[in-house]
Amino acid sequence: MKLCARAILLASFCTLAWSLSGAAATQDPPRRASAAKPRKAKTPPPRTTAAPAPEAAPRFDFEKRAGAVDEALTVLLARRLTVLPSAEEAGERMGREAGARQVLRANAGAAAAAVIAELEKLARNDVEGHAELFTLLGEVAAEEAAIAYWSAKLASGTPRPPRPLPERKKLKEPDRPTAQRSEREDPEALIRYLALAHLYRAGRAGSEKARAAILEAAASPHREVRISAVQYTYALTRRRWKARQELEKRLPRSDQYLLYRY
């Protein structure tokens, strides 16, 4: 009995030793401590200074002349630059614009004459030039001079003939893309729209003369001007029935339906 007990204890001891030796063999070998490599210091990227924005070539004659009024007009026109200035440059620009406005207020007649002279030199299809000078005219000219010029612009140009209605035909061929309305726009019509927009802005600011000019535009030979005149007159009045009566006196019979459409 004693031999059997010893044999059992010996067998269990051997089994335990074999399992421990197998577990130790399956473990990963100890890693050798690698020498830490020194990290290289990151060098900052080279600083690049932005190239100065190219100055816009002078487009109008008053930008090329020397004089208090001409220089003040050039300062106000320089705001069309697309590059955003820094804080210091913005402060300096605001100071220059304030001084230019003071000069132009003291010489409103000469400033209006200079801008109108430039407008008369522009080509009839120069929409961008008219847009810039219309805005400048509204800032520097007296109310009567600006409104008178915008009103005269509404009657300029040759009226466009009405567009014929498209014929309705059955599609026998694959549908083809057609030109967009903006591709057929007349540049002179866009300029008249700009003049009306400036009149409307002045009317929103409280100018009764601008409102009267928009009302008179309902008798314009251009149909697109008559349509906009009806819309703007309704937008600038609180008494719709009274505005309808005034518009009815000026609109041709073929456009009387506009009074009830908008």
Side-chain angles (χ1 to χ4, degrees), residues 131-155:
E132 292 182 356
L133 292 182
F134 277 173
T135 303
L136 190 61
L137 182 66
E139 293 182 358
V140 305
E143 181 183 2
E144 294 82 1
I147 291 175
Y149 189 84
W150 292 329
S151 301
K153 207 65 179 179
L154 297 180

mmCIF file of all heavy atoms in Angstrom, residues 131-155:
data_model
loop_
_atom_site.group_PDB
_atom_site.id
_atom_site.type_symbol
_atom_site.label_atom_id
_atom_site.label_comp_id
_atom_site.label_asym_id
_atom_site.label_seq_id
_atom_site.Cartn_x
_atom_site.Cartn_y
_atom_site.Cartn_z
ATOM 1 N N ALA A 131 -22.427 99.310 -63.606
ATOM 2 C CA ALA A 131 -22.717 98.930 -62.220
ATOM 3 C C ALA A 131 -21.804 99.675 -61.244
ATOM 4 O O ALA A 131 -22.256 100.182 -60.203
ATOM 5 C CB ALA A 131 -22.562 97.423 -62.055
ATOM 6 N N GLU A 132 -20.509 99.776 -61.553
ATOM 7 C CA GLU A 132 -19.573 100.460 -60.664
ATOM 8 C C GLU A 132 -19.874 101.955 -60.579
ATOM 9 O O GLU A 132 -19.904 102.541 -59.490
ATOM 10 C CB GLU A 132 -18.146 100.239 -61.155
ATOM 11 C CG GLU A 132 -17.653 98.805 -61.024
ATOM 12 C CD GLU A 132 -16.225 98.647 -61.478
ATOM 13 O OE1 GLU A 132 -15.645 99.649 -61.958
ATOM 14 O OE2 GLU A 132 -15.675 97.540 -61.366
ATOM 15 N N LEU A 133 -20.127 102.572 -61.736
ATOM 16 C CA LEU A 133 -20.340 104.017 -61.723
ATOM 17 C C LEU A 133 -21.727 104.386 -61.212
ATOM 18 O O LEU A 133 -21.903 105.471 -60.649
ATOM 19 C CB LEU A 133 -20.119 104.578 -63.133
ATOM 20 C CG LEU A 133 -18.673 104.513 -63.638
ATOM 21 C CD1 LEU A 133 -18.567 105.136 -65.018
ATOM 22 C CD2 LEU A 133 -17.724 105.217 -62.674
ATOM 23 N N PHE A 134 -22.725 103.530 -61.388
ATOM 24 C CA PHE A 134 -24.040 103.800 -60.796
ATOM 25 C C PHE A 134 -23.935 103.859 -59.277
ATOM 26 O O PHE A 134 -24.518 104.739 -58.625
ATOM 27 C CB PHE A 134 -25.033 102.713 -61.204
ATOM 28 C CG PHE A 134 -25.657 102.920 -62.561
ATOM 29 C CD1 PHE A 134 -26.466 101.954 -63.123
ATOM 30 C CD2 PHE A 134 -25.434 104.083 -63.272
ATOM 31 C CE1 PHE A 134 -27.042 102.141 -64.373
ATOM 32 C CE2 PHE A 134 -25.998 104.281 -64.522
ATOM 33 C CZ PHE A 134 -26.800 103.307 -65.069
ATOM 34 N N THR A 135 -23.196 102.906 -58.714
ATOM 35 C CA THR A 135 -23.014 102.905 -57.258
ATOM 36 C C THR A 135 -22.250 104.142 -56.800
ATOM 37 O O THR A 135 -22.597 104.764 -55.784
ATOM 38 C CB THR A 135 -22.262 101.636 -56.831
ATOM 39 O OG1 THR A 135 -22.982 100.486 -57.280
ATOM 40 C CG2 THR A 135 -22.115 101.570 -55.321
ATOM 41 N N LEU A 136 -21.207 104.502 -57.533
ATOM 42 C CA LEU A 136 -20.432 105.692 -57.178
ATOM 43 C C LEU A 136 -21.279 106.955 -57.319
ATOM 44 O O LEU A 136 -21.169 107.876 -56.500
ATOM 45 C CB LEU A 136 -19.195 105.770 -58.075
ATOM 46 C CG LEU A 136 -18.132 106.804 -57.704
ATOM 47 C CD1 LEU A 136 -17.574 106.527 -56.319
ATOM 48 C CD2 LEU A 136 -17.016 106.812 -58.736
ATOM 49 N N LEU A 137 -22.132 107.009 -58.336
ATOM 50 C CA LEU A 137 -22.993 108.178 -58.515
ATOM 51 C C LEU A 137 -23.962 108.333 -57.353
ATOM 52 O O LEU A 137 -24.211 109.449 -56.882
ATOM 53 C CB LEU A 137 -23.762 108.041 -59.835
ATOM 54 C CG LEU A 137 -24.685 109.200 -60.211
ATOM 55 C CD1 LEU A 137 -23.884 110.467 -60.477
ATOM 56 C CD2 LEU A 137 -25.542 108.830 -61.430
ATOM 57 N N GLY A 138 -24.497 107.237 -56.861
ATOM 58 C CA GLY A 138 -25.405 107.315 -55.729
ATOM 59 C C GLY A 138 -24.751 107.775 -54.447
ATOM 60 O O GLY A 138 -25.405 108.305 -53.554
ATOM 61 N N GLU A 139 -23.425 107.582 -54.336
ATOM 62 C CA GLU A 139 -22.716 107.972 -53.123
ATOM 63 C C GLU A 139 -22.265 109.429 -53.144
ATOM 64 O O GLU A 139 -22.226 110.070 -52.092
ATOM 65 C CB GLU A 139 -21.500 107.064 -52.923
ATOM 66 C CG GLU A 139 -21.846 105.615 -52.611
ATOM 67 C CD GLU A 139 -20.616 104.780 -52.375
ATOM 68 O OE1 GLU A 139 -19.513 105.334 -52.489
ATOM 69 O OE2 GLU A 139 -20.761 103.580 -52.090
ATOM 70 N N VAL A 140 -21.906 109.925 -54.325
ATOM 71 C CA VAL A 140 -21.262 111.243 -54.372
ATOM 72 C C VAL A 140 -22.173 112.338 -54.909
ATOM 73 O O VAL A 140 -21.948 113.523 -54.613
ATOM 74 C CB VAL A 140 -19.981 111.189 -55.236
ATOM 75 C CG1 VAL A 140 -19.043 110.115 -54.724
ATOM 76 C CG2 VAL A 140 -20.308 110.936 -56.702
ATOM 77 N N ALA A 141 -23.176 112.008 -55.706
ATOM 78 C CA ALA A 141 -23.997 113.032 -56.349
ATOM 79 C C ALA A 141 -25.153 113.431 -55.457
ATOM 80 O O ALA A 141 -25.556 112.698 -54.539
ATOM 81 C CB ALA A 141 -24.525 112.528 -57.691
ATOM 82 N N ALA A 142 -25.697 114.597 -55.724
ATOM 83 C CA ALA A 142 -26.902 115.018 -55.028
ATOM 84 C C ALA A 142 -28.069 114.139 -55.469
ATOM 85 O O ALA A 142 -28.039 113.490 -56.521
ATOM 86 C CB ALA A 142 -27.201 116.486 -55.337
ATOM 87 N N GLU A 143 -29.121 114.123 -54.651
ATOM 88 C CA GLU A 143 -30.249 113.246 -54.934
ATOM 89 C C GLU A 143 -30.883 113.551 -56.284
ATOM 90 O O GLU A 143 -31.194 112.634 -57.061
ATOM 91 C CB GLU A 143 -31.292 113.397 -53.816
ATOM 92 C CG GLU A 143 -32.515 112.515 -53.997
ATOM 93 C CD GLU A 143 -33.546 112.757 -52.909
ATOM 94 O OE1 GLU A 143 -33.316 113.631 -52.053
ATOM 95 O OE2 GLU A 143 -34.578 112.085 -52.934
ATOM 96 N N GLU A 144 -31.068 114.816 -56.608
ATOM 97 C CA GLU A 144 -31.729 115.185 -57.860
ATOM 98 C C GLU A 144 -30.906 114.739 -59.062
ATOM 99 O O GLU A 144 -31.444 114.215 -60.047
ATOM 100 C CB GLU A 144 -31.962 116.695 -57.915
ATOM 101 C CG GLU A 144 -32.943 117.222 -56.879
ATOM 102 C CD GLU A 144 -32.292 117.440 -55.524
ATOM 103 O OE1 GLU A 144 -31.056 117.190 -55.419
ATOM 104 O OE2 GLU A 144 -32.988 117.835 -54.575
ATOM 105 N N ALA A 145 -29.578 114.927 -59.011
ATOM 106 C CA ALA A 145 -28.732 114.567 -60.148
ATOM 107 C C ALA A 145 -28.718 113.054 -60.386
ATOM 108 O O ALA A 145 -28.823 112.593 -61.535
ATOM 109 C CB ALA A 145 -27.316 115.079 -59.920
ATOM 110 N N ALA A 146 -28.598 112.270 -59.324
ATOM 111 C CA ALA A 146 -28.560 110.816 -59.483
ATOM 112 C C ALA A 146 -29.887 110.284 -59.996
ATOM 113 O O ALA A 146 -29.938 109.454 -60.912
ATOM 114 C CB ALA A 146 -28.189 110.164 -58.153
ATOM 115 N N ILE A 147 -30.994 110.754 -59.420
ATOM 116 C CA ILE A 147 -32.304 110.263 -59.836
ATOM 117 C C ILE A 147 -32.606 110.673 -61.265
ATOM 118 O O ILE A 147 -33.175 109.890 -62.051
ATOM 119 C CB ILE A 147 -33.390 110.777 -58.864
ATOM 120 C CG1 ILE A 147 -33.216 110.107 -57.493
ATOM 121 C CG2 ILE A 147 -34.790 110.516 -59.404
ATOM 122 C CD1 ILE A 147 -34.148 110.632 -56.441
ATOM 123 N N ALA A 148 -32.214 111.868 -61.650
ATOM 124 C CA ALA A 148 -32.448 112.322 -63.025
ATOM 125 C C ALA A 148 -31.677 111.459 -64.025
ATOM 126 O O ALA A 148 -32.202 111.098 -65.087
ATOM 127 C CB ALA A 148 -32.054 113.786 -63.168
ATOM 128 N N TYR A 149 -30.459 111.087 -63.687
ATOM 129 C CA TYR A 149 -29.683 110.279 -64.627
ATOM 130 C C TYR A 149 -30.240 108.860 -64.706
ATOM 131 O O TYR A 149 -30.354 108.292 -65.801
ATOM 132 C CB TYR A 149 -28.214 110.249 -64.223
ATOM 133 C CG TYR A 149 -27.348 109.608 -65.270
ATOM 134 C CD1 TYR A 149 -26.879 110.347 -66.350
ATOM 135 C CD2 TYR A 149 -27.013 108.256 -65.200
ATOM 136 C CE1 TYR A 149 -26.100 109.767 -67.339
ATOM 137 C CE2 TYR A 149 -26.235 107.669 -66.176
ATOM 138 C CZ TYR A 149 -25.781 108.425 -67.242
ATOM 139 O OH TYR A 149 -25.019 107.836 -68.220
ATOM 140 N N TRP A 150 -30.568 108.253 -63.579
ATOM 141 C CA TRP A 150 -31.127 106.906 -63.610
ATOM 142 C C TRP A 150 -32.456 106.879 -64.364
ATOM 143 O O TRP A 150 -32.731 105.942 -65.117
ATOM 144 C CB TRP A 150 -31.314 106.393 -62.189
ATOM 145 C CG TRP A 150 -30.029 106.146 -61.466
ATOM 146 C CD1 TRP A 150 -28.829 105.762 -62.006
ATOM 147 C CD2 TRP A 150 -29.805 106.283 -60.065
ATOM 148 N NE1 TRP A 150 -27.884 105.650 -61.033
ATOM 149 C CE2 TRP A 150 -28.440 105.952 -59.828
ATOM 150 C CE3 TRP A 150 -30.600 106.637 -58.978
ATOM 151 C CZ2 TRP A 150 -27.878 105.971 -58.562
ATOM 152 C CZ3 TRP A 150 -30.039 106.654 -57.709
ATOM 153 C CH2 TRP A 150 -28.687 106.333 -57.504
ATOM 154 N N SER A 151 -33.275 107.900 -64.189
ATOM 155 C CA SER A 151 -34.558 107.952 -64.891
ATOM 156 C C SER A 151 -34.351 108.073 -66.395
ATOM 157 O O SER A 151 -35.071 107.442 -67.189
ATOM 158 C CB SER A 151 -35.388 109.124 -64.369
ATOM 159 O OG SER A 151 -35.620 109.003 -62.974
ATOM 160 N N ALA A 152 -33.372 108.889 -66.797
ATOM 161 C CA ALA A 152 -33.099 109.012 -68.234
ATOM 162 C C ALA A 152 -32.576 107.698 -68.804
ATOM 163 O O ALA A 152 -32.834 107.373 -69.974
ATOM 164 C CB ALA A 152 -32.097 110.133 -68.465
ATOM 165 N N LYS A 153 -31.857 106.930 -68.001
ATOM 166 C CA LYS A 153 -31.329 105.655 -68.483
ATOM 167 C C LYS A 153 -32.449 104.649 -68.728
ATOM 168 O O LYS A 153 -32.305 103.753 -69.566
ATOM 169 C CB LYS A 153 -30.342 105.094 -67.462
ATOM 170 C CG LYS A 153 -29.267 104.192 -68.059
ATOM 171 C CD LYS A 153 -28.377 104.967 -68.970
ATOM 172 C CE LYS A 153 -27.279 104.109 -69.574
ATOM 173 N NZ LYS A 153 -26.416 104.867 -70.499
ATOM 174 N N LEU A 154 -33.555 104.788 -68.035
ATOM 175 C CA LEU A 154 -34.665 103.855 -68.207
ATOM 176 C C LEU A 154 -35.319 103.988 -69.579
ATOM 177 O O LEU A 154 -35.932 103.032 -70.070
ATOM 178 C CB LEU A 154 -35.718 104.065 -67.110
ATOM 179 C CG LEU A 154 -35.270 103.802 -65.677
ATOM 180 C CD1 LEU A 154 -36.410 104.058 -64.719
ATOM 181 C CD2 LEU A 154 -34.745 102.389 -65.530
ATOM 182 N N ALA A 155 -35.229 105.145 -70.173
ATOM 183 C CA ALA A 155 -35.846 105.374 -71.485
ATOM 184 C C ALA A 155 -34.862 105.228 -72.634
ATOM 185 O O ALA A 155 -35.248 105.419 -73.798
ATOM 186 C CB ALA A 155 -36.486 106.760 -71.527
#
